[in-house]
Amino acid sequence: MRVASDEIVVAVGPGLVADAGLLAEIADREFTRLGVNGTVVHARDAAHLFSSVRERDVAVVLPGPGEEVRSSIGQPLGPSVVVWVDIDRVDGATHIHGRGIAGLTWGIRHAVHRARHPAIQRITYGPSPEQWADLYFPTADPSGTADTASTIDTTGTVHTADTSTSDTIRAAIAAADGAVPVVALIHGGYWRSIWAADLMEELCEDLARRGFAVWNLEYRRPDRHGWAATTADIATGLATLTTLPTITGQGAATPVALDVDRIAVAGHSAGGQLALRAAADGSRMALAVSLAGVLDLVQGDRRKLSAGAVAAALGRTSAPAGPSATSAQPGDGGPSATSAQPGDEDPYAASSPLHRLPLGTPQLIVQGRDDDLDLVDFARRHAALARQAGDDVTYLEQPGDHFDVITPAAPIWQATVKAIADTLT
């Protein structure tokens, strides 16, 4: 679906505490970036909000505090796509929430993405509303010509993403009797539930355009459910992917067979830790990819990364400082690789990728040079120690910040996806 002019409305509920001018600036910036037109409506009351939403095909709703509007969260309102955004944190919420006023940015991006990709199949792997993955079918042009994707940044600059790797993917699919290689994506957010799988949607679109199938995995985060639930969900979500039958759906003219021998599992930030831990635990994959991953949990805890995010996620701090993992080989100071099994009492020993080496799976470690210097340190040390331990490791460091590694037009992502394609084909 191509979102047409004036089909998007941002409906602001009565009583929402936020500067109206700033909301308009955010919305206008995103409308321009995404190449759509839209309007912002500040509703006088619930009836005004509902009527404004019903007039459009796509709506982003900031409900505000009123119970009449809030009682409709998650209910059909008329448009084909409705995205709810709370700028405050809401306990138990499964919609976008807790990201502050910047949540509107993510809400608009998510709404446009869902409108443009109605064929996505959501597949559940457990009873929780957070246990699902979105499956994307490959959309590469079958003519064999390279296509491009353009995005417009906040300064109005157009960035063109080269998707010529689709030629390589098409050739590999033909050689595998039509079976499609898969990239499974695990989002980050420092293991906090305010961040969700929508963070990875631009990568999903980019990868599908290149000819990959994509598995965008959601999971229960430890701030609500505990660390064991998070790691179990990653394992179960990835295992579910490998057991899917040939898929038929709106996104494919013919049934699509997934090539479970050619799966890359790519995680961003905290998701990088989860991806490499899954590799260490034996999840089926041909390549484990860390995109600015938190690969040394011991030092991540001791350096209080993201205001103590590591200890908050794992439920405890690391062992008292002895010989530093900064200079240690795996097993020398900090958790021991020899005792790093999923059921171990020490979650750091089981969960820190650097302390699980060797992983026994080929790895692509990607790190933006302009990111948090602690993450640069973790990535470099992990790559070096993994090689020493006998793992097959490619280390890719280029200019870029924490989000450039998941931005389709960024050079560092362009290099990353080429490396993924080279490995899977």
Side-chain angles (χ1 to χ4, degrees):
M1 171 182 174
R2 181 67 182 174
V3 181
S5 299
D6 298 322
E7 286 186 347
I8 302 176
V9 61
V10 173
V12 182
L16 183 77
V17 179
D19 181 73
L22 183 55
L23 291 174
E25 290 171 19
I26 294 169
D28 288 344
R29 181 191 68 207
E30 289 305 310
F31 296 156
T32 300
R33 178 182 183 273
L34 297 167
V36 299
N37 292 329
T39 58
V40 179
V41 174
H42 291 267
R44 298 182 299 274
D45 50 35
H48 183 205
L49 184 144
F50 294 142
S51 66
S52 300
V53 167
R54 282 193 294 268
E55 294 170 358
R56 302 294 193 273
D57 290 334
V58 182
V60 177
V61 182
L62 284 68
E67 182 56 34
E68 188 174 357
V69 176
R70 299 198 65 81
S71 64
S72 297
I73 292 176
Q75 303 301 314
L77 297 182
S80 56
V81 175
V82 178
V83 172
W84 295 85
V85 177
D86 266 303
I87 63 176
D88 300 331
R89 181 165 182 146
V90 179
D91 289 341
T94 57
H95 58 277
I96 294 174
H97 73 105
R99 304 183 194 178
I101 200 166
L104 176 57
T105 296
W106 295 102
I108 294 171
R109 292 178 186 179
H110 182 51
V112 172
H113 180 84
R114 301 301 295 194
R116 287 177 171 169
H117 300 278
I120 299 167
Q121 288 197 6
R122 179 156 294 184
I123 297 172
T124 60
Y125 61 87
S128 168
E130 298 167 83
Q131 291 175 304
W132 54 264
D134 281 343
L135 178 63
Y136 291 70
F137 297 101
T139 58
D141 180 0
S143 68
T145 57
D147 42 9
T148 59
S150 295
T151 58
I152 306 173
D153 69 15
T154 55
T155 68
T157 303
V158 178
H159 300 273
T160 300
D162 175 18
T163 58
S164 58
T165 50
S166 56
D167 292 335
T168 304
I169 301 301
R170 275 189 288 271
I173 292 171
D177 296 325
V180 178
V182 188
V183 179
L185 297 176
I186 304 175
H187 71 82
Y190 281 107
W191 309 280
R192 295 173 177 129
S193 57
I194 62 172
W195 299 104
D198 65 285
L199 293 176
M200 308 299 276
E201 286 176 340
E202 289 190 353
L203 285 198
C204 294
E205 181 177 1
D206 182 72
L207 288 162
R209 185 184 294 113
R210 295 172 187 275
F212 293 101
V214 186
W215 183 250
N216 192 21
L217 182 61
E218 188 56 278
Y219 54 93
R220 292 173 294 171
R221 269 74 85 209
D223 58 346
R224 289 181 179 173
H225 303 283
W227 187 244
T230 298
T231 55
D233 279 4
I234 298 300
T236 303
L238 293 176
T240 299
L241 169 62
T242 66
T243 61
L244 291 179
T246 298
I247 301 296
T248 302
Q250 293 178 322
T254 58
V256 174
L258 304 180
D259 191 341
V260 296
D261 291 323
R262 291 187 296 169
I263 297 175
V265 179
H268 175 237
S269 191
Q273 174 271 322
L274 294 170
L276 268 61
R277 190 247 164 96
D281 287 346
S283 290
R284 189 173 182 177
M285 65 185 78
L287 179 67
V289 184
S290 169
L291 305 169
V294 187
L295 302 183
D296 184 344
L297 294 186
V298 174
Q299 287 302 310
D301 171 48
R302 292 177 183 173
R303 301 179 195 184
K304 303 304 177 189
L305 207 65
S306 186
V310 176
L314 273 66
R316 49 163 286 187
T317 60
S318 60
S324 173
T326 302
S327 59
Q329 298 292 327
D332 295 331
S336 169
T338 60
S339 63
Q341 299 300 323
D344 279 359
E345 180 180 353
D346 182 1
Y348 288 83
S351 302
S352 180
L354 185 146
H355 295 91
R356 294 291 302 272
L357 296 172
L359 303 187
T361 299
Q363 298 155 58
L364 173 61
I365 309 300
V366 181
Q367 182 59 56
R369 199 168 294 145
D370 307 310
D371 200 351
D372 184 324
L373 291 178
D374 287 312
L375 295 182
V376 177
D377 172 56
F378 299 168
R380 290 183 182 183
R381 288 191 296 106
H382 178 97
L385 290 170
R387 289 192 186 107
Q388 291 178 27
D391 278 340
D392 177 1
V393 180
T394 299
Y395 183 65
L396 175 62
E397 182 180 310
Q398 290 186 2
D401 63 21
H402 195 61
F403 287 95
D404 284 338
V405 296
I406 59 169
T407 300
I412 192 169
W413 169 251
Q414 298 286 308
T416 298
V417 75
K418 183 180 185 303
I420 293 172
D422 288 346
T423 299
L424 295 188
T425 59

